[in-house]
Amino acid sequence: MRRIISILMENEPGALSRVVGLFSQRNYNIESLAVAPTEDPTLSRLTLTTEGSDKVIEQITKQLNKLIEVVKLVDLTEGSHVERELMLIKLRATGAQRAEIKRTVDIFRGQIVDVTSTVYTVQLTGDGEKLDAFIQAVGTMGVLEVVRSGVSGIARGEKVLSL
Amino acid sequence: MELLSGAEMLIRSLKDQGVEYIYGYPGGAALHIYDALFRQDDVKHILVRHEQAATHMADGYARATGEPGVVLVTSGPGATNTITGIATASMDSIPMVVLCGQVASHLIGEDAFQETDMIGVSRPIVKHNMTVRHPSEIPQLVKKAFYLAKSGRPGPVVIDIPKDMTAPNGRFEYEYPEKVSMRSYNPAVRGHAGQIRRAVDMMMNARRPVIYAGGGVVLGKASQQLTDLAHELGFPVTNTIMGLGGFPATDEQSLGWLGMHGSYESNMAMHHSDLVLAIGARFDDRVTNATDKFCPGARIVHVDIDPASISKTVQADVPIVGPVDSVLEEMLSLVRESEEQPDQEALGAWWKQIREWGQYRSRYHYEQNGDNIMPQEAIEALYRVTKGDAYVTSDVGQHQMFAAQFYPFDKPNRWINSGGLGTMGFGFPAAMGIKLHMPEQEVVCVTGEGSIQMNIQELSTCKQYHLPVKIINLNNQALGMVKQWQDMNYESRYAHSYMESLPNFEKLFEAYGHVAFTVTRREDLEPVLEKAFAMKDQLVFVDIYVDPYEHVYPMQVAGGSMKDMWLSKTERV
Ligand SMILES: Cc1ncc(C[n+]2csc(CCOP(=O)(O)OP(=O)(O)O)c2C)c(N)n1
Ligand SMILES: [Mg+2]
């Protein structure tokens, strides 16, 4: 099953490579990874998505917890949560296509953030499925480049991951 | 406050940490540190002949005492030469602090002379590693390194020290921190009371229990607690090869050790048990054999300081995360308070069954082969000559298994072997590390003619520092363990398992200033060992020519359950 694991860790050089190294060392796979400092600059928040049986996920969380720089972590998929990913996508946009793309972007509640005479750059947020669906929808219209941020997530309601 | 350079602070921190000896080898990036070492007498440095040996010396010391061993090396090749030793310590959870020189900060990343990314290279085999970013951090980092190495599940910690951090012209206020705390690291200090109660309930209701005790009992200094609990309950105990001595091998309740080359009765008892009480053990594949066939009728209580060890390979019914000593103490007091006790009739029947297994195949068994000295009898003779009270280190191979089988250990910390990584070349330097700290103790390395050659250069170190260890070479003129597998799985095609050009060991040891004896006849075995051990001030190598055809048995059948074993070349059960 797909899981979203959210990690609070010391914002120190080398900490990220320990997390990534752990996955290759123990033969787990990372599907996506997003990381940035939090409002407390000594801490980073890292969100990763992975797939595995319950047993594998239990080992992944235990092994992550063992890393000295990992302060706390949570498997967001265990409870209700919000999941978002940002995508920037560059599309060939000429002639009649320009209007067609604009319509599709509106339907998906995206924004066109850069325009040239031949290209639209579109920004879209949502869960992974929504971003996939957008790519499918515009697929015939000439995708030039896709950049996805990887999943970020947060638990719903009162539940927080903090010190 | 005192003003010291980075290098001086490093050495002073070691002193204030209570370190007496460090093991190492100098080089460019470490020279400021070596200069600081030279200008003091508190911390003594042992110059090895290869950095790998420094790590094994530190490791042997740590295994015998529980205190972290300390290694000092230079950058690049000095650092990479420690990798095997760090991995060896890591696999067996041995506390160690490795101080590595590094090129100066401004050169890092430029492929400078003798630059290796030691943080990157060592990452998968350390408990933690860190780089010094400012000289003033050094005392704090040293304190942290020792704390991490020793607490929780112990392990090796590397500190990477760029050369400019130890420059003599810097001057910084020195103060060694009393303690460290880290918000991200809090090892369990006691087990969950409810879980412990559940475990005790299961013990009271067990009919065919087995205590399976690992190296964690030795590392966690819980042998006494384990022994008390086992005696109180009357349960059988089997040790892992890492846990030997954690429960006295000559105790009536000991079944010997378990797993691939464990005793018939241990493996049978495990397979047929209804309750496995795993204490400081990690269900290693060399213990469990195929996990899907492991102990089919047993419920499992698993006590370990490391939560990640629990339910990693075998699912635990009652997981207990905590230090083994305190968990065992709590179990013992609950057992003593309890109005219940295990069903004595069931337990009696269980013991009767176990004794029958024990009689079917005496714990460890071998047969003579003409006039050849059997490796097992060499170990039996060693046991008699040392009165069963030596510190015995071992290398890796058949000799290791024979030593573990035929030298019963009654005390913890006496059996020192690389069980997890299986590092040939470990035994001799490990023995040196122990002898250095315990000159009064008998320290013996059991080795093979293959393994001893992997760190034989340390004979020179032994000469320099006067380390009169004894080395018992079970010379089967082959990489015996490899050959055994080739006999069993490759129709005796001996691909590179021969040692066709052995050195003349007597001359070799003599060249290094030591003594060597060769034994080829059974009647000489014990007298020569007596003579060797009587030479208290000499390093003595006893080269015993043993039967070259012998295999280690029992041997579990690959892919089978615990009870599927070869008991001899022809008998499979
Ligand atoms: C560094 C290293 N290389 C290879 C091996 C694989 N190996 C395991 S046992 C063994 C043979 C050891 O030979 P020897 O030291 O003569 O011991 P014996 O088995 O003959 O008693 C080998 C090569 C190992 N364990 N360690
Ligand atoms: Mg050999």
Side-chain angles (χ1 to χ4, degrees):
Chain A
M1 196 187 130
R2 175 174 170 276
R3 305 295 186 110
I4 305 173
I5 297 173
S6 197
I7 304 172
L8 208 55
M9 62 183 192
E10 300 290 352
N11 184 10
E12 274 171 17
L16 177 60
S17 62
R18 263 182 244 282
V19 172
V20 176
L22 177 72
F23 275 73
S24 60
Q25 181 190 343
R26 296 202 177 256
N27 209 10
Y28 312 139
N29 67 331
I30 296 187
E31 275 174 11
S32 77
L33 180 71
V35 58
T38 65
E39 80 287 2
D40 172 352
T42 67
L43 288 172
S44 288
R45 178 80 174 238
L46 185 152
T47 312
L48 62 84
T49 57
T50 182
E51 195 135 357
S53 63
D54 288 353
K55 188 176 162 160
V56 169
I57 299 296
E58 181 182 331
Q59 263 299 306
I60 289 178
T61 53
K62 283 174 167 179
Q63 294 292 349
L64 283 168
N65 257 318
K66 253 175 93 169
L67 297 177
I68 304 297
E69 284 130 339
V70 168
V71 185
K72 267 186 187 169
L73 64 80
V74 62
D75 178 351
L76 289 174
T77 19
E78 276 181 352
S80 60
H81 61 278
V82 180
E83 164 187 350
R84 289 289 178 275
E85 189 172 357
L86 170 77
M87 175 166 74
L88 295 172
I89 179 167
K90 204 172 265 191
L91 301 163
R92 174 73 61 212
T94 49
Q97 277 178 340
R98 291 178 82 88
E100 176 65 22
I101 291 174
K102 175 83 174 63
R103 247 196 316 279
T104 313
V105 170
D106 289 342
I107 292 168
F108 279 83
R109 295 176 201 276
Q111 288 160 290
I112 296 172
V113 292
D114 187 49
V115 179
T116 73
S117 56
T118 52
V119 169
Y120 277 163
T121 302
V122 176
Q123 169 190 313
L124 197 65
T125 45
D127 61 18
E129 272 174 33
K130 175 177 164 185
L131 305 190
D132 291 342
F134 179 81
I135 295 175
Q136 279 238 299
V138 297
T140 48
M141 301 179 212
V143 174
L144 296 175
E145 190 177 355
V146 177
V147 183
R148 292 172 70 151
S149 64
V151 172
S152 287
I154 199 161
R156 285 186 188 277
E158 292 282 326
K159 232 173 118 186
V160 292
L161 181 65
S162 66
L163 280 185
Chain B
M1 232 182 276
E2 257 179 299
L3 293 178
L4 300 178
S5 75
E8 288 164 345
M9 287 202 290
L10 182 66
I11 303 302
R12 267 294 286 283
S13 300
L14 294 178
K15 179 194 169 212
D16 290 343
Q17 182 62 39
V19 174
E20 189 183 1
Y21 288 106
I22 64 176
Y23 321 90
Y25 210 90
L31 284 183
H32 296 326
I33 304 170
Y34 272 85
D35 192 53
L37 258 178
F38 188 84
R39 289 181 286 105
Q40 55 86 56
D41 307 310
D42 298 312
V43 178
K44 299 181 203 59
H45 177 272
I46 304 296
L47 178 71
V48 292
R49 301 301 183 259
H50 186 296
E51 290 89 347
Q52 183 188 344
T55 58
H56 295 329
M57 276 189 87
D59 183 322
Y61 161 71
R63 289 180 202 240
T65 63
E67 291 304 314
V70 184
V71 175
L72 172 62
V73 294
T74 188
S75 65
T80 55
N81 271 351
T82 65
I83 291 296
T84 301
I86 295 172
T88 303
S90 174
M91 284 294 270
D92 291 342
S93 313
I94 304 304
M96 182 184 289
V97 173
V98 181
L99 309 167
C100 295
Q102 181 54 282
V103 300
S105 312
H106 71 277
L107 293 174
I108 290 179
E110 294 188 355
D111 301 321
F113 178 64
Q114 295 194 328
E115 178 186 356
T116 298
D117 172 15
M118 185 58 178
I119 293 293
V121 169
S122 66
R123 189 187 304 117
I125 52 165
V126 292
K127 181 165 174 184
H128 195 53
N129 57 22
M130 38 211 183
T131 300
V132 179
R133 294 181 191 282
H134 192 275
S136 60
E137 294 178 351
I138 287 175
Q140 182 73 25
L141 290 185
V142 171
K143 185 78 196 178
K144 224 177 182 178
F146 278 87
Y147 170 58
L148 288 172
K150 208 184 152 177
S151 59
R153 179 176 179 176
V157 177
V158 166
I159 309 184
D160 199 41
I161 312 169
K163 188 168 184 179
D164 46 323
M165 298 297 127
T166 54
N169 47 354
R171 278 283 173 267
F172 307 91
E173 290 188 348
Y174 173 80
E175 189 180 15
Y176 196 61
E178 297 240 312
K179 51 181 217 195
V180 277
S181 70
M182 297 162 76
R183 62 182 175 185
S184 61
Y185 176 75
N186 297 295
V189 289
R190 53 182 302 187
H192 186 279
Q195 292 289 80
I196 294 176
R197 208 165 308 116
R198 265 183 74 200
V200 170
D201 275 347
M202 284 165 79
M203 292 178 216
M204 293 304 176
N205 291 302
R207 302 176 67 82
R208 298 184 309 280
V210 180
I211 298 176
Y212 148 48
V217 171
V218 178
L219 292 164
K221 299 198 192 310
S223 314
Q224 192 56 53
Q225 290 88 334
L226 171 67
T227 309
D228 292 347
L229 182 69
H231 285 164
E232 187 71 28
L233 290 162
F235 287 1
V237 182
T238 177
N239 281 116
T240 68
I241 200 170
M242 291 310 300
L244 299 185
F247 184 77
T250 58
D251 188 288
E252 292 224 310
Q253 285 169 235
S254 169
L255 308 186
W257 49 284
L258 83 170
M260 180 173 274
H261 294 299
S263 72
Y264 177 69
E265 59 197 287
S266 281
N267 288 343
M268 293 298 278
M270 285 290 286
H271 184 83
H272 293 95
S273 66
D274 70 346
L275 177 68
V276 168
L277 202 60
I279 318 278
R282 61 185 177 89
F283 295 85
D284 177 81
D285 54 289
R286 283 289 192 268
V287 161
T288 59
N289 212 359
T291 46
D292 57 335
K293 298 176 188 151
F294 179 74
C295 301
R299 298 224 278 162
I300 292 172
V301 173
H302 191 175
V303 183
D304 204 284
I305 188 70
D306 176 12
S309 276
I310 297 178
S311 299
K312 181 174 64 182
T313 61
V314 169
Q315 190 70 30
D317 296 293
V318 181
I320 301 174
V321 178
V324 284
D325 55 352
S326 80
V327 172
L328 287 170
E329 273 161 29
E330 287 184 51
M331 284 179 170
L332 183 62
S333 52
L334 285 177
V335 168
R336 284 187 175 146
E337 285 162 20
S338 173
E339 322 242 285
E340 285 179 89
Q341 63 161 348
D343 181 336
Q344 292 305 302
E345 211 169 300
L347 199 56
W350 178 229
W351 269 113
K352 184 161 169 284
Q353 170 69 78
I354 290 174
R355 295 302 179 215
E356 274 166 28
W357 286 324
Q359 259 149 31
Y360 176 71
R361 180 58 58 152
S362 70
R363 185 154 306 166
Y364 305 113
H365 173 89
Y366 66 96
E367 271 153 39
Q368 301 289 355
N369 182 16
D371 288 337
N372 288 350
I373 301 173
M374 300 310 287
Q376 297 93 333
E377 38 180 341
I379 302 295
E380 288 173 331
L382 176 68
Y383 182 77
R384 287 191 297 272
V385 169
T386 57
K387 305 187 175 57
D389 202 31
Y391 284 81
V392 180
T393 73
S394 137
D395 269 302
V396 172
Q398 291 183 319
H399 61 271
Q400 175 189 24
M401 299 302 137
F402 292 134
Q405 290 182 337
F406 289 87
Y407 198 111
F409 291 90
D410 282 338
K411 294 180 194 162
N413 308 94
R414 299 278 165 136
W415 165 244
I416 312 283
N417 88 130
S418 166
L421 197 67
T423 307
M424 290 171 67
F426 169 81
F428 173 36
M432 293 161 58
I434 300 167
K435 189 73 185 171
L436 178 71
H437 288 267
M438 304 182 190
E440 299 308 317
Q441 299 287 340
E442 209 63 87
V443 183
V444 45
C445 167
V446 175
T447 188
E449 72 306 309
S451 294
I452 191 63
Q453 294 189 75
M454 285 212 178
N455 266 319
I456 202 158
Q457 76 287 343
E458 297 308 317
L459 288 172
S460 175
T461 311
C462 287
K463 186 71 194 161
Q464 182 175 354
Y465 298 100
H466 186 64
L467 299 171
V469 299
K470 303 293 181 274
I471 304 172
I472 306 301
N473 189 35
L474 300 188
N475 192 339
N476 52 10
Q477 300 133 74
L479 303 176
M481 188 56 96
V482 173
K483 196 171 151 212
Q484 173 169 348
W485 283 55
Q486 289 168 336
D487 280 333
M488 297 177 79
N489 302 322
Y490 301 92
E491 297 168 321
S492 300
R493 289 187 296 277
Y494 297 138
H496 301 276
S497 53
Y498 279 121
M499 281 274 162
E500 281 170 323
S501 51
L502 286 179
N504 179 328
F505 281 117
E506 289 194 11
K507 279 193 178 156
L508 181 72
F509 277 72
E510 198 184 311
Y512 276 106
H514 305 300
V515 178
F517 300 128
T518 307
V519 179
T520 54
R521 296 182 312 170
R522 174 171 292 128
E523 58 269 32
D524 295 338
L525 178 59
E526 205 149 326
V528 171
L529 286 175
E530 292 283 5
K531 186 165 79 173
F533 281 92
M535 300 171 80
K536 294 277 175 222
D537 283 341
Q538 286 281 352
L539 183 154
V540 187
F541 179 80
V542 185
D543 194 14
I544 306 171
Y545 276 73
V546 296
D547 182 77
Y549 308 104
E550 184 57 320
H551 286 178
V552 181
Y553 292 110
M555 180 162 176
Q556 282 176 333
V557 178
S561 70
M562 297 265 334
K563 72 170 176 16
D564 300 315
M565 289 170 268
W566 286 98
L567 295 183
S568 71
K569 282 181 187 168
T570 51
E571 186 185 2
R572 183 179 157 163
V573 292

